[in-house]
Amino acid sequence: MKRQDSEIFHDEALCKKSFVTGENFKSQNCLGVHLINDEQGEFYVFRVWAPNAQEVFLVGDFNDWKDTEPMTYDKETGIWEIITDLPNEMDLYKFHVTQQNGRKIMKIDPFSKMFEKRPGNASVVYIEKEKKWKDGLFKGRHKRSNHFKRPLNIYEVHASSFKQHTNGNPYTFKDLTEELVPYLVQMNYTHVEFMPLMEHPLDQSWGYQLIGYFALCSTYGTPEEFQEFVEACHLNNIGVLVDWVPGHFCVNDDALAYYDGTPQFEYVDPERAENRRWGSINFDLGRPEVQSFLISSILYWVETFHIDGIRVDAVSSMIYRNYDDGPFTLNHEGGYTNLEGYYFLQKLNAVMKNEHPEVLMIAEESSSETKITGSIENSLGFDYKWNMGWMNDILRFYEMDPLFRGDNFNLMTFSFMYMMEERFILPLSHDEVVHGKKSLMHKMWGDRYKQFAQLRNLYTYLITHPGKKLLFMGSEWGQFLEWKFNEELEWVDLEDELNQQMQFFTSELNEFYRQSSCLWELEDTRETIEIIDADNKSDTVLSFIRQGKKKKDFYIVILNMTPVERKNFQIGVPYEGTYEEVWNTEMKEFGGTWEKHNKSCETSNNEFKQFDYSIETTVPALGALILKPADVRINRKK
């Protein structure tokens, strides 16, 4: 039984029209599959955008995959539709499309909210149920507060390789609710970030080549299970971030690629459509229907799953025409900027700030030519940008033999020159522990003991350097082997005492960060830091102050980058009085050798650079110290 087009509601007609003008940011409410219940009975309506197709049939389990259910075409919008009572919920379906050139091909539903499990790839007739959320306190608190002035410490996770069952199957979100949420609490992280969770056909892409922009990958369980996971995180005061890929999509012939036989989701220019670097296809970000599709996708994830932040992947590839390998054309102004991508991202962030200003918008972007964070008028409008420069410099430095670190000390300190140009996240991410780059632990110079010492030093620098924090899973205990996307983490490492102590160190450091307001409440201002000494190349020791709102709320950070203990080491301090050690990476419980902290330090009147007073302490070999004022007098002379 079918219903006629005249019975479609007026608001659905408006929904279709706004989709093609690029202003429908809830287009999943119109396209895809929907259930209608009225006096005539129960029906399903299917809609798909394929403006240049000759013919489209709805096929599936319910009609033996035969062309018995023709869809009708709306010339004004390019949308095909059918209303029928044939399917049952959870049936499989596709659209049998006769493309512009007459080629017939089975295509997925771009708006499908569920796919069958691999190796199948059909869409599923799935109607989501409205969830009664219990996270109102968490959501309300975050709406009212300023996230720039809160701690943000992210644990980055690849969902299917965090843990796996004994048969090799990855954990679903039901499993992760039981295992990962308590672990996040134990490790004192404020947020968890997932590499893309949307449907993708190939694990080797890590989720960065998508086919389903509205569907949780079937490997990870059901949408309801993911909702329960997010709610459990929120009830434990943990935010949830998700990676999202609006720049390019999977080349699979049965997915979005040349859907109706013409450039539809992709650029008309084949050179601009082809993403040679990643073997994928670039979205035409200037096309209104594509803008509706992508912005609807991000809002769907935020609203359906209560996501607290989105990391937009590969922003550079979206805003520069010369980013990819191979030939490129200049824009109509004669420049390298991809204007369509630039204005799309501004539009995306404007919509997000209007709809959900509390949701963090994060850019993974590797250049310095374009302002990424800030107001829409002066930038792309993101809240945060990954600091790829800091990450590259720091890892080069820590991999280096200490004999050469003094001559390359600028790698350690250069970020101080530009740290306020954007709002940064400091990422030690998955990209740095794969493809022969070695794990963070393996990158460290020296024997195993020295590697752990330097890892503790590195994480202390991460936590005390201005900017929000991100660490990839397994790095918290010093996993030695590289990350493998198809295997679980090396949890067996934790049978070793040094790995246990490293894990404990990270947990304690994370809690130290959460409880230390001077490490985050002013970090979007220059007042957050004062350099004590960034020129000590001979000793290769870096020292600086992190300042909170109150004058006496500050830390002194000292990082020794050599395997030489520095006794009676002098640094300048801002005020006269007593300073006590509150953090020492070489304490025995962390895997070091020190059983007691340094004694409290009394100032002397010896001037040190811009400071009127100085103190002396012992800095462990390859160690890091943090001191705080215990009893000081605010009487700075200069």
Side-chain angles (χ1 to χ4, degrees):
M1 179 179 178
K2 301 175 185 176
R3 290 174 46 162
Q4 301 303 311
D5 294 342
S6 61
E7 296 170 343
I8 295 174
F9 298 112
H10 178 64
D11 59 344
E12 293 174 330
L14 292 177
C15 182
K16 291 189 291 183
K17 290 179 181 178
S18 60
F19 172 76
V20 300
T21 61
E23 297 301 323
N24 187 341
F25 308 136
K26 305 288 177 69
S27 51
Q28 75 278 4
N29 294 340
C30 175
L31 285 94
V33 57
H34 301 277
L35 180 65
I36 300 173
N37 274 303
D38 60 18
E39 66 278 359
Q40 297 186 45
E42 185 173 278
F43 298 85
Y44 288 98
V45 56
F46 294 81
R47 296 190 184 95
V48 62
W49 174 57
N52 296 307
Q54 293 186 23
E55 199 172 30
V56 181
F57 287 88
L58 172 67
V59 298
D61 290 338
F62 43 84
N63 65 356
D64 295 325
W65 300 90
K66 295 179 180 177
D67 289 348
T68 60
E69 302 297 308
M71 303 179 73
T72 58
Y73 181 61
D74 179 1
K75 292 182 180 179
E76 186 177 2
T77 62
I79 292 173
W80 298 78
E81 62 188 28
I82 185 173
I83 302 177
T84 176
D85 63 354
L86 286 180
N88 294 304
E89 189 163 5
M90 303 307 291
D91 278 350
L92 303 181
Y93 74 97
K94 284 191 176 184
F95 297 120
H96 196 192
V97 179
T98 302
Q99 295 179 320
Q100 187 186 56
N101 63 0
R103 180 189 180 217
K104 295 180 181 293
I105 184 171
M106 293 285 194
K107 286 283 192 177
I108 66 164
D109 179 357
F111 284 86
S112 178
K113 295 174 182 174
M114 183 179 287
F115 287 84
E116 69 173 321
K117 290 187 176 180
R118 302 172 193 159
N121 60 357
S123 300
V124 176
V125 179
Y126 167 75
I127 305 299
E128 61 192 351
K129 312 300 186 294
E130 186 174 354
K131 176 177 171 55
K132 294 182 179 179
W133 289 86
K134 303 173 184 176
D135 62 349
L137 184 63
F138 176 90
K139 298 294 285 184
R141 184 167 60 247
H142 281 255
K143 280 185 178 181
R144 292 189 299 270
S145 60
N146 182 348
H147 58 78
F148 296 120
K149 300 185 183 300
R150 291 202 310 265
L152 179 58
N153 189 10
I154 304 165
Y155 186 64
E156 188 189 26
V157 173
H158 179 249
S160 59
S161 59
F162 175 73
K163 277 191 176 181
Q164 296 179 352
H165 294 286
T166 54
N167 62 3
N169 289 337
Y171 274 23
T172 65
F173 273 101
K174 183 178 180 180
D175 302 314
L176 291 172
T177 302
E178 298 174 359
E179 293 279 344
L180 178 55
V181 175
Y183 187 69
L184 293 167
V185 173
Q186 171 194 337
M187 295 304 298
N188 296 308
Y189 284 100
T190 68
H191 289 72
V192 60
E193 178 179 326
F194 289 99
M195 295 161 69
L197 299 176
M198 299 81 182
E199 189 64 65
H200 54 282
L202 190 66
D203 287 335
Q204 285 90 330
S205 78
W206 310 340
Y208 290 99
Q209 293 196 15
L210 303 178
I211 61 172
Y213 276 76
F214 294 83
L216 178 74
C217 182
S218 56
T219 300
Y220 302 146
T222 68
E224 291 81 5
E225 288 172 344
F226 183 48
Q227 287 177 324
E228 293 296 319
F229 173 86
V230 174
E231 184 172 78
C233 284
H234 288 175
L235 293 176
N236 284 279
N237 203 31
I238 297 166
V240 180
L241 316 177
V242 174
D243 287 9
W244 180 64
V245 192
H248 60 106
F249 56 91
C250 183
V251 299
N252 284 21
D253 201 26
D254 56 355
L256 302 183
Y258 297 93
Y259 198 91
D260 63 9
T262 68
Q264 184 177 325
F265 288 93
E266 51 277 279
Y267 288 104
V268 173
D269 181 347
E271 284 192 356
R272 298 190 67 193
E274 182 185 3
N275 191 310
R276 290 172 289 271
R277 179 173 297 198
W278 295 311
S280 54
I281 300 177
N282 294 319
F283 278 109
D284 180 353
L285 298 173
R287 184 159 186 170
E289 297 92 339
V290 171
Q291 295 179 359
S292 289
F293 174 78
L294 289 173
I295 296 177
S296 294
S297 166
I298 193 172
L299 282 173
Y300 173 76
W301 281 84
V302 166
E303 294 173 355
T304 301
F305 300 107
H306 282 204
I307 299 302
D308 304 292
I310 300 290
R311 171 193 171 272
V312 180
D313 183 63
V315 167
S316 292
S317 72
M318 302 168 68
I319 61 176
Y320 299 115
R321 287 185 171 220
N322 60 337
Y323 179 81
D324 200 5
D325 301 322
F328 63 92
T329 56
L330 299 175
N331 62 36
H332 69 273
E333 298 176 350
Y336 298 104
T337 301
N338 178 9
L339 298 174
E340 296 95 332
Y342 187 95
Y343 293 125
F344 165 74
L345 290 170
Q346 281 192 321
K347 179 177 180 178
L348 168 70
N349 284 313
V351 170
M352 289 300 298
K353 288 307 158 195
N354 182 63
E355 297 282 336
H356 297 283
E358 77 283 1
V359 171
L360 308 183
M361 293 297 291
I362 303 166
E364 188 266 318
E365 203 278 327
S366 55
S367 76
S368 59
E369 300 171 32
T370 301
K371 178 71 171 167
I372 303 298
T373 62
S375 67
I376 297 293
E377 293 75 20
N378 301 313
S379 72
L380 288 180
F382 284 95
D383 294 311
Y384 295 105
K385 170 184 174 177
W386 274 22
N387 193 337
M388 312 294 278
W390 176 87
M391 176 269 297
N392 283 312
D393 286 348
I394 287 304
L395 292 183
R396 278 182 59 200
F397 185 83
Y398 276 84
E399 287 182 273
M400 193 175 293
D401 188 309
L403 286 172
F404 306 107
R405 288 179 179 174
D407 293 333
N408 292 278
F409 207 37
N410 63 304
L411 293 173
M412 189 80 170
T413 61
F414 180 63
S415 57
F416 294 142
M417 303 293 292
Y418 63 85
M419 63 186 173
M420 293 299 159
E421 293 181 8
E422 302 272 11
R423 291 186 174 121
F424 285 118
I425 289 176
L426 309 177
L428 296 175
S429 74
H430 66 275
D431 274 329
E432 308 317 310
V433 295
V434 72
H435 293 329
K437 295 181 183 178
K438 301 186 292 189
S439 68
L440 294 184
M441 175 67 174
H442 197 182
K443 292 177 194 288
M444 300 297 108
W445 167 86
D447 59 30
R448 193 162 185 257
Y449 178 86
K450 292 184 177 68
Q451 287 177 322
F452 275 115
Q454 288 170 101
L455 204 60
R456 297 191 297 268
N457 185 306
L458 169 61
Y459 293 174
T460 302
Y461 191 38
L462 168 71
I463 288 295
T464 57
H465 189 291
K468 307 306 186 184
K469 328 297 177 186
L470 180 142
L471 187 67
F472 186 59
M473 63 181 194
S475 303
E476 70 273 19
W477 71 71
Q479 176 171 309
F480 188 79
L481 296 179
E482 268 191 347
W483 168 57
K484 300 180 180 68
F485 72 89
N486 57 345
E487 298 179 15
E488 73 171 14
L489 296 178
E490 298 287 327
W491 294 98
V492 67
D493 289 349
L494 292 172
E495 296 175 8
D496 182 275
E497 184 180 13
L498 284 174
N499 290 113
Q500 291 174 21
Q501 291 168 324
M502 185 70 218
Q503 184 189 48
F504 175 69
F505 169 86
T506 306
S507 174
E508 291 293 292
L509 181 64
N510 290 345
E511 182 62 12
F512 181 85
Y513 167 71
R514 285 206 310 184
Q515 299 300 324
S516 300
S517 57
C518 64
L519 293 179
W520 36 263
E521 66 181 358
L522 291 180
E523 72 177 348
D524 58 342
T525 69
R526 291 201 174 271
E527 289 72 29
T528 192
I529 190 168
E530 182 175 7
I531 304 301
I532 297 175
D533 191 357
D535 302 314
N536 189 343
K537 298 180 180 181
S538 58
D539 293 331
T540 324
V541 177
L542 172 65
S543 53
F544 56 90
I545 296 170
R546 289 299 310 275
Q547 180 66 53
K549 287 182 180 179
K550 299 177 181 178
K551 280 192 174 182
K552 290 186 179 181
D553 181 19
F554 64 89
Y555 284 150
I556 294 171
V557 181
I558 311 171
L559 300 146
N560 182 4
M561 306 311 302
T562 68
V564 179
E565 183 176 273
R566 304 295 178 184
K567 294 184 177 180
N568 302 318
F569 188 79
Q570 182 183 24
I571 61 166
V573 292
Y575 307 118
E576 183 181 18
T578 305
Y579 294 80
E580 66 177 3
E581 184 178 286
V582 293
W583 191 258
N584 186 324
T585 59
E586 276 300 298
M587 300 306 294
K588 197 166 186 178
E589 63 264 31
F590 296 153
T593 58
W594 284 40
E595 296 189 358
K596 294 181 180 180
H597 283 277
N598 278 304
K599 293 180 179 180
S600 295
C601 306
E602 293 288 338
T603 57
S604 69
N605 289 325
N606 295 326
E607 294 187 358
F608 187 97
K609 294 199 170 185
Q610 75 270 31
F611 298 98
D612 298 318
Y613 308 101
S614 62
I615 58 173
E616 290 184 356
T617 190
T618 300
V619 187
L622 298 172
L625 303 181
I626 301 176
L627 292 78
K628 74 172 186 179
D631 181 17
V632 298
R633 294 165 286 286
I634 308 297
N635 59 347
R636 199 165 179 175
K637 297 175 185 177
K638 293 181 181 179

